[in-house]
Amino acid sequence: MHIALFGGTFDPVHYGHLRLAEEAREAAALARVLFVPAAVSPFRVGEPITPAQHRLQMLRLATADNPAFEVSELEIERGGVSYTIDTLTTLQQQYPDATLYLILGTDALQDFMSWRRVDAIAQACQLLVGVRPNYDLQATLAQLPDAIRQRVQPVAMTPLGIRARDIRERVRTGRSVRYLTPPNVIEYIQQHRLYQEP
Ligand code: ATP
């Protein structure tokens, strides 16, 4: 069975994430994509972040209609700074017979060499990397050591220049976020008055 871990802040989840997950699912014949929101991203320590329960709930709403998509509380329950290698280790124990993948966008691949224990990550799973507008995948690949590059499987996804920070900014300033994220996520944001503060 092919299973992918898709980590991120998901503050909030949007169609860029969902298309990447869906196209990765097709490309690697994934039985399951696990969306795993970080408790705290190592790159955003000290930055404001929406409480985990809201980010989880928006993910549940956004993924509910896709039988291959699942939301995991692994990193939220573990708490503290969320390191992918710790999550992968848990998944290896949970799914000893599975082939594991990690889904990420080109911007995340650019930073990949600064992640904790990259060699161990690349040993544990293949990297499914979706192209993100304004990021040069070929240049990023060229900078990686061979052992890591060999583990990368590019995913030719529909380019979507959607960013969570733009959604937050639009909500805060009262502009429309329609067609950037699913309607039930927008409803949730409005109901809970999220993203009102800068
Ligand atoms: P922010 O704007 O707050 O930085 P984000 O939109 O980049 O957030 P994250 O939760 O940080 O979202 O991203 C999680 C993962 O999804 C990362 O691997 C990132 O590269 C990928 N990703 C996010 N948005 C897109 C997109 N529009 N296209 C392709 N990949 C994306």
Side-chain angles (χ1 to χ4, degrees):
M1 182 158 75
H2 294 192
I3 297 180
L5 158 61
F6 186 17
T9 310
F10 301 113
D11 193 10
V13 60
H14 54 67
Y15 282 129
H17 300 127
L18 295 168
R19 262 326 285 182
L20 171 54
E22 178 67 357
E23 294 189 57
R25 184 193 63 73
E26 264 188 328
L30 302 172
R32 203 174 297 175
V33 176
L34 298 174
F35 288 71
V36 188
V40 178
S41 156
F43 299 106
R44 297 188 185 187
V45 176
E47 286 182 25
I49 185 171
T50 302
Q53 289 311 319
H54 286 314
R55 291 184 289 119
L56 271 172
Q57 194 51 31
M58 290 189 283
L59 272 169
R60 290 194 190 107
L61 291 168
T63 57
D65 62 355
N66 190 323
F69 289 0
E70 203 174 292
V71 182
S72 162
E73 298 184 35
L74 256 181
E75 295 187 354
I76 303 291
E77 279 171 0
R78 198 165 67 228
V81 178
S82 306
Y83 293 103
T84 299
I85 186 61
D86 298 337
T87 310
L88 279 170
T89 305
T90 305
L91 292 178
Q92 279 178 321
Q93 288 158 2
Q94 271 177 6
Y95 304 100
D97 300 326
T99 305
L100 293 179
Y101 292 82
L102 177 67
I103 297 177
L104 56 168
T106 324
D107 57 316
L109 186 67
Q110 250 174 23
D111 298 334
F112 189 68
M113 293 312 292
S114 61
W115 290 23
R116 178 177 281 189
R117 300 190 56 211
V118 272
D119 293 331
I121 294 177
Q123 245 173 31
C125 62
Q126 283 191 55
L127 312 178
L128 296 170
V129 179
V131 181
R132 208 172 168 176
N134 305 321
Y135 293 95
D136 186 343
L137 179 60
Q138 291 314 320
T140 305
L141 285 174
Q143 281 166 5
L144 292 174
D146 285 347
I148 306 285
R149 191 172 43 242
Q150 281 160 11
R151 301 292 281 163
V152 174
Q153 180 179 335
V155 175
M157 73 171 282
T158 309
L160 290 170
I162 305 173
R163 319 176 72 101
R165 79 191 62 172
D166 292 340
I167 295 181
R168 297 195 294 271
E169 177 65 11
R170 283 178 164 273
V171 171
R172 192 178 66 77
T173 53
R175 284 178 296 157
S176 166
V177 292
R178 223 172 155 185
Y179 313 123
L180 296 176
T181 187
N184 51 8
V185 173
I186 298 177
E187 223 168 274
Y188 187 92
I189 291 172
Q190 287 167 345
Q191 268 170 10
H192 295 269
R193 302 189 54 75
L194 302 183
Y195 309 123
Q196 301 297 319
E197 306 294 327

